[in-house]
Amino acid sequence: MTFALLTLPALAETTQQQVTIDRLRSELARTKSQKDSIRILYDIFDLSPRKDQPKVCDELYNVADRAGDVLAQLDICRQATASVRDDKDLAKIEDAVRKLPVSDEQKETELFLKMKRITLKARNLPEAERQKEITAIIAKYDDGRKKTDKYQRALNLFTLVEYLRNDATGDMLKEYLQRLVEMTTSTEFSLYAIPNIVYAEAANIYSDAGDQQKAVAADRKLQQVIDGLEKKYDALGREYRSYDISRYVSYRRMLRNFEALAPGEAERIYAKCVKLSESNPDVKKDFDTHARIHAHYYMATEDYTAAIPYLKQLLESDPALALKRQTLEMLVKAAENTGDDETKLYALTEYNAILAELNQLQASEKYKELQIKYDLMDLKERNSALEIENREDEIASTRRIMVFVIVMFIILAAVLAVSLFNWTKYQKNARDMGQIVDNLASERNRIRRSIYYDYADTDDNSIDQSWLERFRKSPKKKYEISTFMTESIVNDLLYISMVGHNDRLKHIHEVSVDRLLRESLSKANENLGEDSGITLNCPEDDFRLNTDKECLTDLLAHVLEEASKCTPAGSNLDLACERMNDGKTCFTICTEAYLPELQDTPRLFNPLVSISDLVDDKKNGLYVCRMIAMLLTCDLRKDSTHPEGTRFIFTVPDNLETC
């Protein structure tokens, strides 16, 4: 009756699960969307007992195949392994994964399945067959191999640790296992299933090797992975997804390593297993029929009398050599504590038989040979990788040098091109400046001869020599050419302005302001065109100025041209004039547009007299002197008080003769 009452919660849970599965099956029959079908089949898979899960996996895989959902196909292939215990079935799943489109997840899923097959094959092999497998693996290591990728390297290392589980020393095994954990939990692998299986196997292998502290630590890591998976699937809407079996297996393994648990922790873990068995039929089946969890629990609580029957059952049901050896050690301890000499003798006899079998098969030599062969293979791969890395570094270094050389050649070519351009420009400027120097010198000599003709030495041709000839005769160095030219120009202009003062006065006479404005506008329109948009506002009462009409007209026209070029289309430019009370006349250039380009008023005079005009002798030295005199007596400034737009005020004396 007590047993029946204990089974009632599990039966009720099973019945409720079947009701939910039937409802989902009915919903699946009505749905028309493959996406919804995949979602419903996932719920059915999560609710189904393990014996029914392979069939649901086949359904889900086929629907995902029709929908083109490769990720769902890979996921269900990984989840199907939890309910498969036959290598042939695992081989079929691996073959299905191999046929899917290649991707990182596909490669990691294939690696996961290969690890599963190796685990299933190596765990329960009799030692004699294990030695044959080790010999075959060693032969593979001896064969010529192509360069391995990260997936093959992980599989090789996983294979090694799986087949070293029965190594009595375990030292090398622990070293390889640590390397495997570090490799598979690094950023090289992103799929959760890889660290999941590695932590599970690490816990098993550490348990087999007797390193209970590391075994328990690996199980704690595994439970963290399970926590993360529960959160992941909960976020995806998998409300029926359960990890009860995974947690139960982890707890059961922790009880095996009870000596590494904290005081009282074994009792708490056993209670959790009891609770899981009450809610999950598959857990309950193992809990009720398998002796392992009870044997280890009673050993942990030092109830040796209760532990002995379970330990004997465990010896009969679990053929794994490492577990069998540890079970015999526990049985010896339990028999000694209860005074059961018969059981102790039986356990010692079986233990010696295992050691004799290992010695007869020369297992230690095979394990050592496997370790050495793997190390040689790994060393060759590391050396090959290092050689490739060095070669790649050399290639990268050569490329960097080539890029540096090419860049330097480009920079050198650019510098040469700029230098050539500047040299050409310098040569042209030198020729132009030389022409100006010669023109001013010629003007100076012409004025000199016209004034001092009776006294000048007409046979002295040295005064008509070019600037270059005069420079060569001077004591100046080549780098002082610019200084020589500047001195020549300044001296000639000073001479012309001094000697030509009377000539300058000849060009100053009275002129009508109205006529002056019209001629200035006409001259500006010669370059701007008739549609320049300049409006002329002549004064109502015309008046006259005593000024250098030619220079003033050129000056006004030039200012109008520069201002018009900066005025946007559609804006007018007004020219007006008025007489001031202080003996000056004011010309205004005004526009409603804001002209930021003309904030610097010297821009309006650049270039007032071009070098080409001087070179072509369109403007002789005397005219330049007259223009300089005009500029010195005039004033051009921006009116900062103008409320809108831009206005310039140009002021000239009413009578230039008195200036």
Side-chain angles (χ1 to χ4, degrees), residues 172-452:
M172 293 291 287
L173 172 62
K174 294 172 189 176
E175 179 185 340
Y176 293 130
L177 185 55
Q178 183 61 32
R179 285 166 57 181
L180 177 65
V181 171
E182 290 174 358
M183 179 189 297
T184 53
T185 56
S186 68
T187 54
E188 285 191 272
F189 298 94
S190 57
L191 196 63
Y192 74 89
I194 302 299
N196 192 353
I197 189 173
V198 169
Y199 280 129
E201 287 309 300
N204 284 324
I205 292 168
Y206 281 130
S207 299
D208 292 348
D211 195 337
Q212 297 182 342
Q213 292 289 346
K214 288 188 177 180
V216 171
D219 268 313
R220 297 194 197 281
K221 284 281 188 182
L222 180 61
Q223 289 184 36
Q224 289 178 7
V225 174
I226 293 173
D227 291 339
L229 289 173
E230 284 182 337
K231 291 178 181 178
K232 172 187 173 182
Y233 284 113
D234 185 60
L236 293 173
R238 295 274 292 274
E239 58 180 312
Y240 303 113
R241 182 66 175 164
S242 171
Y243 282 92
D244 290 348
I245 296 176
S246 298
R247 288 194 183 278
Y248 170 74
V249 171
S250 179
Y251 290 144
R252 188 180 65 187
R253 190 165 44 236
M254 290 176 75
L255 280 175
R256 177 186 174 186
N257 299 284
F258 58 86
E259 292 182 2
L261 298 176
E265 191 174 4
E267 289 83 349
R268 291 194 295 273
I269 290 175
Y270 188 78
K272 290 179 181 178
C273 292
V274 172
K275 188 174 182 180
L276 287 172
S277 69
E278 293 172 353
S279 60
N280 189 294
D282 291 315
V283 172
K284 181 170 180 56
K285 181 179 179 181
D286 183 90
F287 188 84
D288 291 342
T289 59
H290 207 291
R292 183 183 304 177
I293 189 169
H294 307 292
H296 295 152
Y297 170 68
Y298 288 125
M299 286 298 296
T301 56
E302 299 181 355
D303 188 351
Y304 300 115
T305 302
I308 288 175
Y310 287 111
L311 289 171
K312 289 181 178 179
Q313 290 180 39
L314 188 57
L315 287 172
E316 296 173 1
S317 63
D318 203 330
L321 183 60
L323 182 61
K324 196 171 185 179
R325 188 169 56 200
Q326 290 178 355
T327 302
L328 287 169
E329 291 172 354
M330 291 183 191
L331 188 58
V332 169
K333 181 179 179 180
E336 287 177 346
N337 281 278
T338 58
D340 190 344
D341 294 333
E342 183 181 350
T343 299
K344 180 180 178 181
L345 178 62
Y346 163 75
L348 289 173
T349 303
E350 289 293 318
Y351 192 83
N352 290 332
I354 291 174
L355 295 180
E357 180 185 1
L358 290 174
N359 289 331
Q360 182 182 0
L361 294 170
Q362 296 181 330
S364 297
E365 286 76 8
K366 284 291 184 184
Y367 288 134
K368 294 296 181 186
E369 186 180 357
L370 177 60
Q371 293 168 358
I372 292 169
K373 290 293 184 182
Y374 176 82
D375 285 340
L376 286 174
M377 179 196 71
D378 188 51
L379 182 60
K380 288 179 181 179
E381 289 180 353
R382 288 173 183 269
N383 288 338
S384 298
L386 185 60
E387 184 180 349
I388 292 171
E389 185 178 350
N390 290 337
R391 191 174 300 129
E392 289 176 349
D393 287 342
E394 289 177 6
I395 293 172
S397 178
T398 304
R399 285 177 179 170
R400 285 195 294 270
I401 293 172
M402 290 178 64
V403 169
F404 177 76
V405 171
I406 291 171
V407 170
M408 290 305 297
F409 269 117
I410 292 173
I411 293 173
L412 181 60
V415 170
L416 288 175
V418 171
S419 299
L420 182 60
F421 172 77
N422 288 336
W423 175 253
T424 305
K425 190 174 180 181
Y426 165 76
Q427 290 286 72
K428 181 180 182 302
N429 289 340
R431 287 194 300 271
D432 292 344
M433 288 299 296
Q435 188 65 45
I436 293 171
V437 172
D438 288 344
N439 288 346
L440 288 174
S442 177
E443 182 72 14
R444 179 201 65 200
N445 293 336
R446 184 182 65 79
I447 295 173
R448 179 182 171 188
R449 287 191 181 97
S450 65
I451 297 176
Y452 307 107

Side-chain angles (χ1 to χ4, degrees), residues 513-525 532-540 556 560 572-577 587-590:
V513 168
D514 187 282
R515 180 182 175 188
L516 183 66
L517 291 174
R518 295 183 188 280
E519 288 186 7
S520 298
L521 178 59
S522 177
K523 185 169 288 190
N525 286 339
S532 61
I534 301 175
T535 303
L536 187 62
N537 296 321
C538 294
E540 295 181 1
L556 282 172
L560 286 173
N572 290 326
L573 192 66
D574 296 330
L575 174 62
C577 178
F587 297 89
T588 58
I589 298 99
C590 182

Side-chain angles (χ1 to χ4, degrees), residues 523 527 550-562 565 601-614 618-620 623-634 636 650:
K523 185 169 288 190
N527 294 325
E550 183 182 9
C551 285
L552 184 55
T553 303
D554 280 355
L555 193 54
L556 282 172
H558 182 81
V559 172
L560 286 173
E561 288 177 25
E562 291 300 316
K565 289 175 185 177
T601 52
R603 160 101 185 252
L604 292 170
F605 296 119
N606 183 27
L608 181 56
V609 179
S610 66
I611 293 176
S612 60
D613 287 343
L614 291 172
K618 294 179 181 177
K619 306 289 184 183
N620 57 31
Y623 178 80
V624 175
C625 293
R626 288 164 52 202
M627 185 60 77
I628 291 172
M630 173 65 76
L631 290 171
L632 291 174
T633 56
C634 297
L636 178 63
F650 185 64

Side-chain angles (χ1 to χ4, degrees), residues 413-571:
V415 170
L416 288 175
V418 171
S419 299
L420 182 60
F421 172 77
N422 288 336
W423 175 253
T424 305
K425 190 174 180 181
Y426 165 76
Q427 290 286 72
K428 181 180 182 302
N429 289 340
R431 287 194 300 271
D432 292 344
M433 288 299 296
Q435 188 65 45
I436 293 171
V437 172
D438 288 344
N439 288 346
L440 288 174
S442 177
E443 182 72 14
R444 179 201 65 200
N445 293 336
R446 184 182 65 79
I447 295 173
R448 179 182 171 188
R449 287 191 181 97
S450 65
I451 297 176
Y452 307 107
Y453 180 79
D454 295 336
Y455 305 100
D457 186 0
T458 55
D459 295 329
D460 184 8
N461 296 323
S462 61
I463 60 175
D464 292 326
Q465 291 177 344
S466 68
W467 72 271
L468 188 56
E469 292 172 337
R470 288 187 285 123
F471 175 74
R472 286 171 179 169
K473 292 179 180 180
S474 71
K476 293 187 179 295
K477 306 298 182 182
K478 287 187 177 180
Y479 60 82
E480 295 180 297
I481 287 178
S482 59
T483 305
F484 175 81
M485 286 184 169
T486 304
E487 289 177 354
S488 180
I489 291 172
V490 171
N491 290 334
D492 288 346
L493 284 175
L494 288 173
Y495 180 82
I496 292 169
S497 63
M498 179 187 69
V499 174
H501 178 68
N502 294 331
D503 287 339
R504 172 176 168 270
L505 294 178
K506 294 177 183 177
H507 294 277
I508 298 174
H509 54 81
E510 281 193 346
V511 62
S512 165
V513 168
D514 187 282
R515 180 182 175 188
L516 183 66
L517 291 174
R518 295 183 188 280
E519 288 186 7
S520 298
L521 178 59
S522 177
K523 185 169 288 190
N525 286 339
E526 289 178 5
N527 294 325
L528 298 174
E530 294 300 328
D531 56 346
S532 61
I534 301 175
T535 303
L536 187 62
N537 296 321
C538 294
E540 295 181 1
D541 297 327
D542 190 17
F543 58 92
R544 304 179 73 80
L545 294 177
N546 197 30
T547 188
D548 188 333
K549 173 178 169 292
E550 183 182 9
C551 285
L552 184 55
T553 303
D554 280 355
L555 193 54
L556 282 172
H558 182 81
V559 172
L560 286 173
E561 288 177 25
E562 291 300 316
S564 179
K565 289 175 185 177
C566 298
T567 303
S571 298

